Amino acid sequence: MIDHLYIHVPFCHSICAYCDFTHQLYREDIAVRWLQRLKKETELCNKEKYSTIYIGGGTPTSLSDDLFEELLKLISPYINKEKEYEFTIEANPESLSEKKIDLLIKYQVNRISIGLQSCNKDLLKLMNRHHDFNDVRDKVNILRKKGINNISLDIMYSLPSQTMADLNDTLDQVLDLNVEHLSLYSLTVEENTLFGKKGLKSLDEDTEADMYELIEKRLSEKGYIHYEIANFAKAGKESRHNLGYWHYDDFRGLSLGASGKINNHRYDNTKKMSHYLNNEDIIENDYLLSKEDMMFENIMMSLRLEEGLNLLLFNERYDVDFLDYYRDVLIEEKDNLLIENNHLKAVNRELLNNTLLSFMK
Amino acid sequence: MDKNKIRNFSIVAHIDHGKSTLADRILELTGTVSKREMEDQILDNLDLEKERGITIKLNVVQLHYKAKDGEDYVFHLIDTPGHVDFSYEVSRSLAACDGAILVVDATQGIEAQTLANVYLALDNDLEILPVINKIDLPSADVEKVKKEIEDVIGLDCSDAPCISAKTGLNVENVLEGIVKYLPAPKGDKEKPLQALVFDSYYDSYRGVVVYICVKEGQVKVGDKITFMQAGKEYEVAELGVKTPNEVKRDRLEAGEVGYLCAAIKSIKDITVGDTITASLNPAAEALSGYRKMNPMVYCGMYPTDNARYNDLRDALERLQLNDSSLVFEAESSKALGFGFRLGFLGLLHMEVIQERLEREYNLDLIATAPSVIYKVNLTDGTYLMIDNPSLMPDQTLISSIEEPYVSATIMVPNDYIGPIVELAQNKRGIYKDMTYIDDNRNQITYEMPLSEVIFEFFDKLKSVSKGYASLDYEPIGYRKSNLVKMDILLNGDVIDALSVIVHRDFAYDRGHRITVKLKELIPMQQFEIPVQAAIGNKVIARTNIKSLRKNVLAKCYGGDITRKKKLLEKQKEGKKRMKAVGQVDIPQEAFMAVLSMDEE
């Protein structure tokens, strides 16, 4: 059963310097055609209902109010309202108007993820972001007043020229807001981003590690649980949609540039708007996954979690005995792995890659 | 076939003077290969050669040419390598020829290897036809280059074809020149068979295929033949010529060049340079063959995965079938496990072999830094020949160490004499002589330790002279030097495969550079790794590789899985190219770093 749905909104009003997601500058006429095509694509969902839906981007709030409402009206019926659900949308502080907030409530969106990235104005400018911390704080307050009490902020670190003091200052202000969820990403400079083209680099490994430790320390002091390598949440406020990825559950992805995984298939949709708008078949890559592929990917995803990999579920899912199948790896990596309550956990999650390489056949 | 209508020749040239391009034009003009079919430099059929723009393996092709005298001629073009490392292979291909075309670039003039090749050709009693190439280039100075050839080499250039191999201009004059100035083979097909083996390769279906030049007599399919040096007897199963595709023939006669198969199972049964004769009517003596050149450079090669030791041995045996200058024997290292000690003609030869092993045999290898053979005189009056620094005896047992020296001939324009002299001095060169080739060019001679010449010298020579300097060298024997073994320690353990022999005066500087370089190259581990250079028990340089604190992928959601997994797969591949020594992974480059002169 597919329990998770992801929809990608590929438009933005400006392009962030670090971003290599599928995006293009917003144009109303293209957005209209895109939404028409998306409508057709949702036919794939058939009668599916999902316990989590995530509308990401791009910038979903870059759509005009009309198109924004049309999108929500299209997607909202796919929520499984018989159980507790999670319906998340990503937002940029400058385009999250009160009007849009009202629409979110009308269509039962119950979780908002806002891109803050930093509280430092110079760093925001460097990233080509057009807001400041006050904008974010104001939007958080409005959301709360209107009853949305599951808010997440995205923050980046290891940014070019960033200092420990910069990060500390950002954390001070962010912690004051006391939101339910925080995602903290160290910068990875990809080639085809503005940073990449300018030759800008993230900070050295030592400073990055210092920052990671600072973040972990300050957030746990405030009661956040470090439930995934880059994600922190108040108890019970973990992102259920993203947990689906880390549990290696099936999910459906819709729209330009989205990916999905259904049984032993993973697919990537085309990243070309012209192809998306004009073709029936929009799948660019379709990977047939072997059992070994899936076992490895499941381990790769689940060891990112504090709770680790559920071995009972794993054995059931793949009809193997994990401890037997991976005996050699468990011996080789005995200092880096531990088993607790039938869960396999990485002792040092920040050094997970080494351990994963041992699992790779 | 009338042997007076046969011409067997090679083309020799300094690298980049246009040898392969001329060969292409000749193949086209003789209709051997049509232009449409022509791949660039068709004779260079190893991938590596195409990539590096050099010819390594010699090959032979039969051409048919109707000359202006109305007669049909058969040419055998025997290709030769164009790099200093391979002068041995040049000499063996020349032994199969009666003449040589000497290509000289009209914009460059005579270079170090032009001379070296001419001397080889003269050693083999070949007639030489000089050809001036690249006359279409604006900077060509034909008259000056002709004069240079006449003055320096003493060849008459009045009838030398002046051509552009690239555009095809005047290339037919070369073909006419071959007919007119190069001699026909001298042999007599009625005499007892004498055929020179000048190359061989292994074919899985037919066994060893040998390339032969029939000097006297004739050989037919079904004949019983004897390899005179090896003393082994076979029955001829197949004969043929290369056009360049193989064309089967029932016989080959004096003057002809082709291939022979005789169900020969192992390359070890074949010695290139051997003479084939008829078992029933043998020749009285073997052809003089040629001096086998001994390897000058040695290194260890180890599979990163010890389980592939036997695969490496099989691959080396296969390669040796095509490359008799390659030698190897088993050795073991505390750090690297079981592998082989390989001997090469030079560093390029070593790189080519390593790349072929990795590409064609899918092996992941670690090569240790190349070493020359040291003569170590012991206090008890005996001596050892050491080609592996880690086997150097204890200092207290050594009375002196000798190393091989070469005489290096460098040709260089006036403007770059300064930097070349400085480079040679840094490489412990002893200045011997400088002569003028013309107003602007000089020939400088240095005596240098071979160990300094083999590594980076050629590249540095090219870079300090903006590519204008050229080099050739020949061994001149052993000399005493103040040498010492330097050990490298990682995490407190001596890594035998990283030991290196250095001159005592340069030891501190080298030790410092090596440790800094290793710090860059060796990936961080979860603990700090001290890197030390030591002579005996005395540490002379030290640095630390910091411990790894974080290496997890920044973010990883559903859409990232494919990409992140590919990244991990790439890392896993990278790890395969490293050798785990104790708890430390050492990448291939680290083993070369011990010889690097780079400032970093």
Side-chain angles (χ1 to χ4, degrees):
Chain A
M1 193 186 66
I2 306 171
D3 211 21
H4 311 284
L5 175 67
Y6 175 81
I7 296 118
H8 191 78
V9 181
F11 302 104
C12 295
H13 286 300
S14 68
I15 306 302
C16 303
Y18 50 82
C19 181
D20 76 331
F21 281 108
T22 307
H23 56 229
Q24 56 177 254
L25 285 174
Y26 183 72
R27 257 178 61 180
E28 181 85 13
D29 56 337
I30 296 177
V32 169
R33 294 177 62 196
W34 163 78
L35 194 57
Q36 287 308 313
R37 181 66 186 86
L38 181 65
K39 245 177 221 167
K40 207 169 145 213
E41 199 185 353
T42 53
E43 288 166 11
L44 290 171
C45 303
N46 204 359
K47 293 196 167 63
E48 284 168 4
K49 296 269 185 182
Y50 309 94
S51 65
T52 81
I53 294 181
Y54 196 107
I55 302 179
T59 314
T61 47
S62 67
L63 297 173
S64 68
D65 290 347
D66 288 349
L67 288 178
F68 193 66
E69 176 159 16
E70 226 180 298
L71 172 68
L72 294 174
K73 199 191 281 177
L74 173 71
I75 301 304
S76 188
Y78 291 101
I79 301 167
N80 181 357
K81 290 176 187 125
E82 286 168 20
K83 291 191 285 186
E84 202 182 328
Y85 66 88
E86 179 191 279
F87 186 7
T88 307
I89 194 160
E90 285 181 347
N92 249 16
E94 64 267 46
S95 53
L96 184 62
S97 61
E98 283 214 47
K99 174 86 191 288
K100 287 205 171 80
I101 294 174
D102 290 336
L103 289 170
L104 294 177
I105 290 160
K106 180 176 170 190
Y107 291 98
Q108 291 157 307
V109 172
N110 60 6
R111 186 171 180 272
I112 312 286
S113 172
I114 302 175
L116 164 65
Q117 313 313 351
S118 172
C119 295
N120 180 300
K121 288 184 180 171
D122 293 332
L123 288 175
L124 285 167
K125 199 173 163 194
L126 184 71
M127 287 185 271
N128 197 29
R129 304 226 7 133
H130 308 281
H131 61 81
D132 61 14
F133 175 69
N134 293 334
D135 298 328
V136 174
R137 186 187 51 211
D138 294 347
K139 296 293 152 77
V140 168
N141 287 337
I142 296 168
L143 286 167
R144 280 180 173 153
K145 215 160 51 192
K146 293 185 184 268
I148 292 185
N149 285 314
N150 197 353
I151 299 171
S152 178
L153 299 180
D154 280 358
I155 295 152
M156 294 187 77
Y157 64 98
S158 192
L159 295 162
S161 80
Q162 188 181 29
T163 63
M164 290 297 280
D166 288 335
L167 179 64
N168 241 320
D169 183 52
T170 291
L171 293 176
D172 282 341
Q173 303 192 53
V174 165
L175 290 172
D176 267 354
L177 283 181
N178 202 31
V179 292
E180 287 71 24
H181 188 279
L182 292 166
S183 298
L184 288 113
Y185 304 121
S186 67
L187 173 69
T188 310
V189 178
E190 304 289 351
E191 242 175 80
N192 51 346
T193 60
L194 292 180
F195 276 163
K197 283 170 192 155
K198 280 187 190 167
L200 289 174
K201 293 198 164 61
S202 54
L203 302 176
D204 66 274
E205 288 138 339
D206 250 355
T207 313
E208 188 189 313
D210 287 344
M211 290 184 163
Y212 182 82
E213 283 170 13
L214 176 76
I215 289 163
E216 188 171 50
K217 177 170 170 286
R218 296 215 48 196
L219 267 54
S220 56
E221 280 169 6
K222 278 280 185 173
Y224 287 96
I225 299 160
H226 190 181
Y227 76 101
E228 194 266 349
I229 282 158
N231 287 278
F232 297 78
K234 294 288 175 70
K237 294 293 184 181
E238 296 87 357
S239 163
R240 289 177 51 202
H241 181 84
N242 289 337
L243 278 174
Y245 298 137
W246 296 316
H247 290 152
Y248 203 56
D249 293 342
D250 284 352
F251 65 100
R252 191 178 287 288
L254 297 181
S255 168
L256 189 71
S259 302
K261 184 212 161 248
I262 297 167
N263 297 321
N264 59 347
H265 279 270
R266 186 177 30 259
Y267 63 89
D268 302 324
N269 282 350
T270 179
K271 294 181 170 66
K272 273 199 180 129
M273 183 63 88
S274 58
H275 184 96
Y276 180 72
L277 294 180
N278 300 320
N279 290 277
E280 191 75 25
D281 180 10
I282 52 164
I283 291 182
E284 185 175 283
N285 303 305
D286 186 2
Y287 304 94
L288 186 63
L289 303 169
S290 67
K291 186 164 110 173
E292 284 70 28
D293 288 335
M294 293 192 283
M295 284 162 64
F296 175 76
E297 291 176 6
N298 198 340
I299 293 166
M300 172 176 104
M301 297 307 277
S302 294
L303 286 183
R304 298 177 66 89
L305 294 171
E306 187 181 51
E307 65 178 49
L309 172 72
N310 185 329
L311 296 179
L312 296 181
L313 280 181
F314 189 94
N315 290 346
E316 197 183 325
R317 213 178 232 184
Y318 304 107
D319 193 25
V320 292
D321 178 356
F322 185 93
L323 299 183
D324 188 45
Y325 191 91
Y326 290 111
R327 184 201 303 270
D328 294 347
V329 184
L330 294 173
I331 293 167
E332 192 185 335
E333 292 287 330
K334 63 180 185 327
D335 297 336
N336 300 317
L337 292 170
L338 67 89
I339 296 175
E340 256 176 22
N341 298 328
N342 284 313
H343 281 70
L344 178 79
K345 303 179 184 189
V347 177
N348 299 303
R349 273 188 292 170
E350 59 278 11
L351 289 167
L352 181 60
N353 272 17
N354 288 356
T355 307
L356 291 179
L357 293 181
S358 302
F359 275 107
M360 193 167 255
K361 294 275 159 173
Chain B
M1 116 142 270
D2 178 2
K3 70 176 167 46
N4 289 320
K5 299 288 186 298
I6 298 178
R7 297 290 182 274
N8 297 332
F9 63 95
S10 278
I11 307 176
V12 295
H14 188 76
I15 193 161
D16 285 340
H17 278 202
K19 187 186 75 169
S20 296
T21 317
L22 176 59
D24 287 353
R25 288 301 90 73
I26 290 176
L27 291 184
E28 278 172 25
L29 270 182
T30 54
T32 312
V33 178
S34 79
K35 202 158 191 160
R36 193 166 42 78
E37 292 167 321
M38 172 73 72
E39 252 191 286
D40 269 356
Q41 305 187 1
I42 194 151
L43 290 180
D44 301 348
N45 59 10
L46 289 173
D47 282 355
L48 267 178
E49 295 178 357
K50 276 184 196 150
E51 266 170 41
R52 294 181 175 225
I54 49 170
T55 314
I56 304 155
K57 281 301 302 174
L58 63 168
N59 214 323
V60 57
V61 61
Q62 187 180 77
L63 319 166
H64 295 264
Y65 177 62
K66 193 174 186 72
K68 288 183 178 151
D69 61 13
E71 302 283 346
D72 289 319
Y73 287 84
V74 169
F75 293 168
H76 293 112
L77 168 56
I78 297 161
D79 203 19
T80 61
H83 188 276
V84 59
D85 272 9
F86 298 102
S87 58
Y88 163 70
E89 296 212 5
V90 175
S91 84
R92 66 192 229 206
S93 36
L94 294 181
C97 299
D98 306 296
I101 297 173
L102 173 70
V103 181
V104 182
D105 184 331
T107 70
Q108 306 283 332
I110 293 172
E111 298 282 3
Q113 286 165 43
T114 315
L115 277 184
N117 283 320
V118 167
Y119 294 143
L120 279 176
L122 294 175
D123 278 353
N124 283 284
D125 291 327
L126 304 190
E127 283 294 327
I128 298 174
L129 172 65
V131 169
I132 318 294
N133 190 22
K134 304 196 188 181
I135 63 164
D136 57 317
L137 295 182
S139 55
D141 190 340
V142 173
E143 289 315 309
K144 184 175 152 199
V145 170
K146 278 187 172 178
K147 187 166 182 307
E148 218 174 80
I149 296 173
E150 285 175 351
D151 290 353
V152 179
I153 305 178
L155 286 175
D156 176 13
C157 281
S158 49
D159 292 325
C162 299
I163 67 163
S164 164
K166 202 173 118 204
T167 65
L169 178 69
N170 296 340
V171 174
E172 68 280 4
N173 295 350
V174 178
L175 296 176
E176 285 298 312
I178 292 166
V179 170
K180 214 162 144 190
Y181 299 109
L182 299 186
K186 296 177 197 71
D188 179 349
K189 70 175 177 182
E190 304 307 330
K191 280 192 177 173
L193 173 67
Q194 280 180 312
L196 178 71
V197 176
F198 66 92
D199 198 9
S200 66
Y201 71 95
Y202 185 81
D203 178 297
S204 345
Y205 298 103
R206 297 178 293 179
V208 180
V209 179
V210 293
Y211 285 111
I212 55 171
C213 171
V214 183
K215 295 284 189 185
E216 300 285 354
Q218 52 183 294
V219 57
K220 296 189 296 294
V221 173
D223 281 358
K224 291 259 190 314
I225 52 165
T226 304
F227 285 75
M228 296 181 81
Q229 198 177 319
K232 299 225 175 177
E233 206 178 272
Y234 298 94
E235 187 180 312
V236 178
E238 187 183 330
L239 289 168
V241 294
K242 302 256 286 177
T243 70
N245 301 320
E246 288 183 353
V247 175
K248 285 187 194 175
R249 296 266 296 270
D250 54 7
R251 74 172 66 199
L252 291 173
E253 292 176 358
E256 290 192 294
V257 179
Y259 69 91
L260 175 152
C261 308
I264 304 163
K265 290 212 176 58
S266 166
I267 190 72
K268 287 184 187 138
D269 299 334
I270 298 301
T271 314
V272 168
D274 203 346
T275 302
I276 295 176
T277 193
S279 303
L280 293 176
N281 179 21
E285 53 187 31
L287 297 162
S288 59
Y290 31 86
R291 183 172 56 98
K292 180 160 172 61
M293 199 163 116
N294 293 317
M296 308 245 267
V297 181
Y298 284 78
C299 83
M301 277 200 197
Y302 294 79
T304 52
D305 176 2
N306 285 329
R308 300 207 61 194
Y309 174 81
N310 286 331
D311 295 341
L312 174 58
R313 191 194 53 218
D314 293 348
L316 285 169
E317 282 175 358
R318 286 286 173 90
L319 283 185
Q320 208 179 35
L321 284 172
N322 286 357
D323 185 349
S324 60
S325 52
L326 170 70
V327 300
F328 63 91
E329 61 179 43
E331 74 166 7
S332 68
S333 146
K334 227 172 104 189
L336 300 179
F338 290 100
F340 292 91
R341 196 81 193 158
L342 278 66
F344 305 98
L345 301 175
L347 208 66
L348 179 73
H349 189 205
M350 168 175 158
E351 286 169 15
V352 166
I353 293 292
Q354 186 178 0
E355 280 195 49
R356 290 191 61 187
L357 287 168
E358 297 195 333
R359 276 195 211 182
E360 296 169 28
Y361 297 90
N362 198 24
L363 290 159
D364 291 309
L365 297 174
I366 295 292
T368 64
S371 168
V372 299
I373 309 178
Y374 295 94
K375 184 177 179 210
V376 182
N377 299 306
L378 303 175
T379 47
D380 66 4
T382 60
Y383 69 91
L384 296 170
M385 299 304 283
I386 298 282
D387 62 30
N388 180 347
S390 71
L391 300 178
M392 193 60 82
D394 191 85
Q395 278 183 82
T396 56
L397 301 174
I398 298 173
S399 69
S400 66
I401 302 177
E402 295 175 43
E403 62 179 329
Y405 264 68
V406 296
S407 170
T409 305
I410 303 163
M411 293 200 184
V412 58
N414 294 347
D415 291 352
Y416 302 104
I417 291 177
I420 296 284
V421 167
E422 194 189 329
L423 173 66
Q425 277 169 358
N426 286 336
K427 290 280 200 176
R428 299 195 278 138
I430 304 159
Y431 171 81
K432 295 312 278 186
D433 186 29
M434 180 156 89
T435 54
Y436 300 107
I437 301 170
D438 59 35
D439 296 349
N440 184 38
R441 293 202 324 142
N442 310 275
Q443 177 175 324
I444 317 178
T445 312
Y446 273 90
E447 290 179 357
M448 295 173 73
L450 174 63
S451 65
E452 300 283 355
V453 177
I454 55 170
F455 200 74
E456 287 185 349
F457 183 65
F458 186 69
D459 292 340
K460 293 233 182 288
L461 190 80
K462 285 285 176 194
S463 80
V464 301
S465 68
K466 298 204 163 66
Y468 284 112
S470 63
L471 168 73
D472 193 61
Y473 59 83
E474 56 174 359
I476 51 170
Y478 277 77
R479 292 187 185 172
K480 275 186 191 165
S481 291
N482 190 4
L483 299 173
V484 58
K485 180 173 82 148
M486 184 159 72
D487 289 320
I488 303 297
L489 293 81
L490 292 179
N491 217 14
D493 299 325
V494 172
I495 307 299
D496 57 1
L498 288 173
S499 294
V500 59
I501 309 288
V502 296
H503 193 275
R504 198 180 288 272
D505 296 350
F506 294 82
Y508 278 82
D509 182 52
R510 289 285 287 275
H512 173 71
R513 285 184 195 185
I514 291 168
T515 51
V516 169
K517 190 94 186 162
L518 288 175
K519 179 183 173 178
E520 257 172 57
L521 293 172
I522 295 173
M524 295 193 289
Q525 313 282 329
Q526 284 170 244
F527 48 89
E528 191 170 80
I529 308 164
V531 183
Q532 296 161 300
I535 294 174
N537 290 323
K538 190 178 169 207
V539 172
I540 58 166
R542 166 181 180 132
T543 119
N544 283 330
I545 299 170
K546 283 194 285 186
S547 65
L548 175 69
R549 294 168 61 198
K550 182 169 181 284
N551 71 346
V552 72
L553 304 165
K555 61 175 164 183
C556 195
Y557 297 106
D560 302 318
I561 295 176
T562 309
R563 203 160 51 127
K564 301 293 182 186
K565 199 168 107 184
K566 277 188 185 147
L567 213 75
L568 287 172
E569 276 163 357
K570 217 168 125 192
Q571 283 179 24
K572 182 95 183 172
E573 272 308 302
K575 226 176 137 104
K576 277 192 198 151
R577 304 271 298 120
M578 298 189 201
K579 190 81 189 179
V581 178
Q583 290 174 285
V584 184
D585 288 334
I586 310 178
Q588 163 70 69
E589 305 82 58
F591 293 92
M592 293 295 149
V594 294
L595 290 188
S596 178
M597 296 269 289
D598 285 339
E599 306 263 3
E600 260 169 289

